[in-house]
Amino acid sequence: MVYAIVRAGGRQEKVAVGDVITLDRLQEEVGGNVELPAVLLVDGDKVTSDADSLSGVKVQAKVLGHERGQKIVIQKYKNKTGYKKRQGFRAALSKVEITSIA
């Protein structure tokens, strides 16, 4: 089985061909291709983590769509002063499908 650990949106994700993952919003259009930098490559028993070897590894992904994440509520409160503040946040996300690891 071939899989790779890629750097995407400030995090690292384990991906294989055909996986659909959610990343922070990408600038690419829907249907566009994006290349993700590999941090580790596992091909059966062979594990590659050397930076020089990984420079030739290309992990291609196709953008399936853009969406927004679940709303989180940020609430601040200070006792006895009457101060309270409520704020919401929804992250901008992109869904991508891994098309090839080469």
Side-chain angles (χ1 to χ4, degrees), residues 80-101:
K80 300 177 186 171
T81 62
Y83 172 79
K84 57 185 173 181
K85 180 180 178 184
R86 191 168 162 204
Q87 181 179 3
F89 174 77
R90 291 182 70 188
L93 305 171
S94 294
K95 274 199 181 227
V96 297
E97 179 183 10
I98 306 302
T99 55
S100 70
I101 300 174

Side-chain angles (χ1 to χ4, degrees), residues 52-96:
D52 294 332
S53 301
L54 289 173
S55 64
V57 174
K58 297 188 185 301
V59 178
Q60 297 288 332
K62 178 182 176 185
V63 178
L64 298 178
H66 300 297
E67 57 188 39
R68 295 187 65 196
Q70 270 191 329
K71 185 168 192 172
I72 62 169
V73 176
I74 302 136
Q75 185 147 4
K76 297 178 180 180
Y77 173 77
K78 295 213 184 269
N79 195 14
K80 300 177 186 171
T81 62
Y83 172 79
K84 57 185 173 181
K85 180 180 178 184
R86 191 168 162 204
Q87 181 179 3
F89 174 77
R90 291 182 70 188
L93 305 171
S94 294
K95 274 199 181 227
V96 297

